[in-house]
Amino acid sequence: WGMSLVAMFVFRPSVLRFAHGVPHAVTKRTSSTAAEASPRIRFKYPWLTLGAATIAGAQVYQYLKVKAAFEKNVDGKPQMDIVLAPARLATCRVLFSRTMSRLWGSVNDVELPVFARAPLYKLWTWVFDCKLDEMKYPLESYRNLSEFFARPLKDGVRPLQGRRNDSVVSPVDGTVAMVGESDGDKIEQVKGLTYSLSRFLGGQHAVEDPGLDAVLPSVKHLSEGKKLYHCVLYLAPGDYHNIHSPVDWKVNRYRHFAGECFPVASWAVRWIQDLFTINERIAVFGQWAHGFFSATAVAAYNVGGIVLKHEQLQTNRADQTPEYLSKVFTDRPFDKELSLKKGDEFAGFRLGSTVVLIFESPEFLWAVKAGQKIKMGELLGGPVKPL
């Protein structure tokens, strides 16, 4: 609607400008004929007007589409069970479309001439404060931006902290956005805003092979003395982009939820309720020393590319409808159960985004707090009573 107002001001028809009650355009006319005296609409900045009108039209179209989905019932239940208001969701779909993220991904995959690689990557480094001295290979070896974003580190630059086998370390470089304990089916997105744990991990749908008890334990089924804890880690564009195992665990399956690519910066997390259940994501599930453990990579604007090291999977595809609209997601066991050791690489982004850890544990003591910068391998915390 804001773009509609912009269009109104840019449009500026002269019939709206009056001098003593007479249209301004008419006061300048000297011809006596009605045709000559009739005011004509004048466009100022026609291309800007056309662009604003196009965006306003897209806004109306998305609003009507989303509103229809909110009002539609499937088997007596609402098709849309998210909290975000239709108008705000429609605005986000216009401003941060999945198509734009796919286009940016295509740009990232364009092979660069060797002479242009180092200057371009150094410019990116200067803007986003990358640590080039930690890179394993020289700048010229990265053929495109995607490879540069996923650059590996030198051996030994991320030593693992925490001597205990059941300690949890950070799987990524980034900033701690939120840590805490789940309240039933609710998890804090930011202070004062929550999202559904079952919606986030897919427990609200009936799928062909849900494996629900193995994937998402109900709070009622947790072992005595154990709770569900969560940690949200935000990756900036300049951060190391690969995802490593935060614990020793056995990984048995994953779920891919097609979704939006809305921003996940702090302002967006506060403005877009249910953000993490709307955005594209891949959740990996398994068991660690204290029970259930999951790590979920959440996409963001211009970050539709999520990679699993042990599985061929393409995210942010044009032929996929977001899960919150279709109620369909991919639920698949790995061909062979993976035994991941702390620090093993198992996934990655093609640009920075967010990783969410949700796990079962006895009373857990956090070693970090919200807003703290952290590097892969640094200690997040551990159970108060060790194994």
Side-chain angles (χ1 to χ4, degrees):
W1 304 120
M3 294 308 300
S4 300
L5 292 175
V6 171
M8 288 173 59
F9 279 104
V10 175
F11 182 62
R12 294 184 65 185
S14 59
V15 294
L16 297 181
R17 300 176 61 188
F18 288 88
H20 303 292
V22 181
H24 178 71
V26 176
T27 61
K28 293 186 178 182
R29 308 289 293 191
T30 58
S31 175
S32 59
T33 64
E36 291 177 338
S38 60
R40 290 184 300 176
I41 295 176
R42 296 181 302 170
F43 288 89
K44 189 174 183 179
Y45 312 122
W47 291 111
L48 182 59
T49 301
L50 179 61
T54 300
I55 294 176
Q59 169 78 10
V60 173
Y61 168 76
Q62 286 292 350
Y63 175 75
L64 295 176
K65 183 178 179 180
V66 169
K67 188 171 183 293
F70 268 92
E71 295 173 349
K72 182 178 179 181
N73 288 331
V74 178
D75 298 330
K77 297 181 180 179
Q79 179 182 354
M80 298 277 284
D81 54 354
I82 61 175
V83 178
L84 188 63
R88 186 169 295 188
L89 177 57
T91 300
C92 292
R93 285 174 65 92
V94 171
L95 297 179
F96 312 111
S97 70
R98 302 173 71 215
T99 302
M100 290 303 298
S101 290
R102 280 193 295 274
L103 289 174
W104 177 245
S106 299
V107 171
N108 289 346
D109 291 336
V110 173
E111 185 168 346
L112 298 170
V114 176
F115 72 85
R117 294 174 187 176
L120 181 61
Y121 300 152
K122 286 181 179 179
L123 175 61
W124 182 274
T125 298
W126 178 74
V127 174
F128 295 108
D129 192 27
C130 304
K131 306 300 181 185
L132 296 185
D133 58 325
E134 298 177 342
M135 292 192 318
K136 190 171 185 177
Y137 304 111
L139 288 174
E140 291 78 9
S141 63
Y142 303 108
R143 295 173 298 176
N144 51 47
L145 284 168
S146 289
E147 289 188 0
F148 177 68
F149 295 150
R151 59 195 178 276
L153 297 174
K154 293 178 181 177
D155 296 336
V157 298
R158 292 290 186 275
L160 301 179
Q161 296 182 355
R163 297 180 180 179
R164 286 169 39 181
N165 291 334
D166 61 344
S167 62
V168 181
V169 300
S170 176
V172 293
D173 288 4
T175 302
V176 180
M178 180 65 65
V179 295
E181 176 187 331
S182 68
D183 181 13
D185 187 51
K186 299 296 182 183
I187 293 182
E188 274 194 317
Q189 182 166 298
V190 292
K191 193 170 183 63
L193 285 180
T194 62
Y195 61 96
S196 167
L197 171 65
S198 58
R199 272 203 52 78
F200 181 65
L201 296 181
Q204 82 283 11
H205 298 323
V207 293
E208 187 174 329
D209 179 22
L212 191 58
D213 290 338
V215 171
L216 178 62
S218 166
V219 176
K220 297 178 182 178
H221 297 155
L222 292 176
S223 303
E224 185 177 352
K226 293 184 180 180
K227 300 175 182 179
L228 280 180
Y229 294 88
H230 67 277
C231 175
V232 181
L233 301 164
Y234 169 72
L235 288 74
D239 288 328
Y240 172 63
H241 285 42
N242 294 325
I243 305 172
H244 295 249
S245 177
V247 294
D248 297 340
W249 58 320
K250 295 187 180 298
V251 178
N252 48 46
R253 71 192 309 120
Y254 72 91
R255 285 179 171 175
H256 170 221
F257 302 83
E260 305 293 349
C261 292
F262 296 159
V264 294
S266 57
W267 66 266
V269 173
R270 290 179 173 83
W271 192 66
I272 308 173
Q273 194 162 355
D274 282 328
L275 175 61
F276 293 153
T277 66
I278 292 173
N279 269 15
E280 183 119 3
R281 59 197 183 278
I282 295 179
V284 177
F285 304 94
Q287 297 284 318
W288 76 309
H290 297 288
F292 170 79
F293 199 99
S294 72
T296 304
V298 183
Y301 190 51
N302 291 337
V303 194
I306 305 172
V307 178
L308 288 180
K309 188 174 181 179
H310 302 89
E311 193 77 14
Q312 293 294 324
L313 182 67
Q314 183 180 355
T315 54
N316 194 23
R317 285 165 38 191
D319 61 342
Q320 290 181 327
T321 302
E323 173 271 336
Y324 69 92
L325 289 171
S326 67
K327 303 302 182 187
V328 175
F329 60 86
T330 301
D331 178 83
R332 187 170 298 167
F334 286 100
D335 294 335
K336 184 179 180 181
E337 186 177 68
L338 306 177
S339 293
L340 295 181
K341 295 296 184 182
K342 196 180 299 181
D344 288 349
E345 182 185 336
F346 70 93
F349 293 107
R350 287 296 173 260
L351 194 58
S353 190
T354 297
V355 172
V356 180
L357 304 179
I358 299 174
F359 55 92
E360 181 180 3
S361 174
E363 186 178 357
F364 194 86
L365 181 63
W366 294 102
V368 295
K369 59 183 179 180
Q372 179 177 332
K373 291 285 291 183
I374 196 166
K375 292 189 178 295
M376 191 279 289
E378 292 182 348
L379 185 66
L380 290 175
V384 173
K385 294 182 179 180
L387 286 173

